[in-house]
Amino acid sequence: MSDQATKRPAASADARARARTWTGVSAAYRRLLSRYRTRRLLEFHLLAMAVTAVVAVSALLVSYREVVLSADGLRSQAAPAVQGVAATRLALLRADWEANRVKKELNGVPGAGESYQSQLSAADQSLSRLAERTSDDLGTINGLLDSYSTSIMNGALFYHDDKGIQKQKFEEAGSLLSRPEVGLVPRLDALQNTQMDRAERLATMGALGYTGWVVAELALLVLVLTLLSALWVLRDRCGRDYNPWLLGALVLTVALAVVPLLATTATQRHLDNARGMLTEITTVAEQTKRETNVSNTDARVTLDSAQNTVSRKSQEVRKELSAREWQNSVYYGALGGGILVVLLPAAGIGRRLNADYWRAR
């Protein structure tokens, strides 16, 4: 009993202290606004809320839309292009290794060329899909691939009984494949770097994007403070405890400040994860090229492992970037909420001004 009796006065003292604090803040704010007439205060609040709401909603919608468009661009074009180039490059390296194996170990054996022919077919299909995902001109690469396929097939299939011509065809194919700067693989390397740079730009929020979000959040904060001030003025000057229009706008403003930002954070996290996986895909392709050039002893195992890794990572990227319905739902929800945030304060303050001041003129 004594403990409860002791706690009650302490709690009451804390409540009284908080009440005195809020009373002091209210009195100070009242003194600050005492020099202005009620009508001017309400008109100022109406103008301030209209301006900050328009700025906040515009910056918010533009910033969020940019993130959604970046995710769409990475999902539909940049990521498939990076994966396609890596798959093409590995398929060509595998085809070259298989063809040279036919030359060394299986010369003249029926059906020995099926492996490298299937890899050449896979490379050709990857290039065809890549052409749909990028605006880069792939005519030279396609031409080199056709020439390489002709040379390697002639060497492995049609001239296996003529060692001189067979050697010439394999040397010709090797030159088409790996000649510095102008060969098929170096051109694919350059295309890979271009596509990876594009994916990096799409997956990274730049300074302009961060600036847009800062402007949106600061404007929403100012709008919240202005709404609270307007509610206080209506209660203190006009005897109105609650204005449902302003309270609704206040709730929507808080939601606009939180929900799109959380959605953007989630989307950006998926973009960062996808970018990391695309970097791994590129790294695997580059390492495989170096390892197969150094030694062919375990090249088949290395190439097979690399192709499996690229295939697995590509599936993970597609899963990471899979379109989510809530992304568009958040955008349209923010659009609708933004319109209401502009209209509700105008209705709440405008009705009071019209009833008490404008109509009375």
Side-chain angles (χ1 to χ4, degrees), residues 101-277:
R101 178 170 173 267
V102 169
K103 172 189 171 184
K104 294 177 181 178
E105 303 174 14
L106 305 173
N107 211 357
V109 177
E114 292 181 359
S115 295
Y116 73 79
Q117 289 181 41
S118 65
Q119 294 297 324
L120 287 175
S121 177
D124 185 63
Q125 291 176 8
S126 296
L127 273 182
S128 298
R129 289 192 297 268
L130 181 60
E132 301 174 358
R133 306 289 187 176
T134 179
S135 58
D136 294 334
D137 184 12
L138 302 181
T140 302
I141 294 178
N142 279 312
L144 285 171
L145 178 59
D146 291 339
S147 299
Y148 172 79
S149 300
T150 301
S151 297
I152 203 72
M153 291 182 70
N154 284 337
L157 290 180
F158 302 120
Y159 296 103
H160 58 82
D161 292 330
D162 192 329
K163 299 300 183 182
I165 297 180
Q166 184 186 54
K167 180 180 178 182
Q168 177 187 351
K169 292 298 180 182
F170 269 97
E171 289 176 351
E172 182 181 286
S175 177
L176 289 169
L177 183 67
S178 58
R179 185 186 302 170
E181 297 184 7
V182 296
L184 191 51
V185 171
R187 288 181 184 274
L188 287 173
D189 290 344
L191 182 60
Q192 179 91 11
N193 293 333
T194 300
Q195 297 302 324
M196 193 63 207
D197 289 342
R198 183 185 177 195
E200 290 274 357
R201 287 194 301 271
L202 288 171
T204 304
M205 183 182 292
L208 190 60
Y210 281 112
T211 301
W213 277 107
V214 170
V215 170
E217 293 297 321
L218 287 177
L220 288 169
L221 176 60
V222 172
L223 181 57
V224 167
L225 296 176
T226 308
L227 284 165
L228 290 173
S229 177
L231 286 166
W232 185 90
V233 169
L234 287 174
R235 183 172 182 236
D236 189 66
R237 296 284 187 96
C238 304
R240 303 283 177 175
D241 285 341
Y242 300 104
N243 186 302
W245 306 89
L246 297 185
L247 287 174
L250 181 62
V251 172
L252 283 174
T253 302
V254 174
L256 285 175
V258 174
V259 176
L261 185 61
L262 292 178
T264 296
T265 302
T267 302
Q268 194 61 48
R269 184 174 65 252
H270 290 300
L271 293 180
D272 291 338
N273 293 340
R275 177 180 57 188
M277 294 176 191

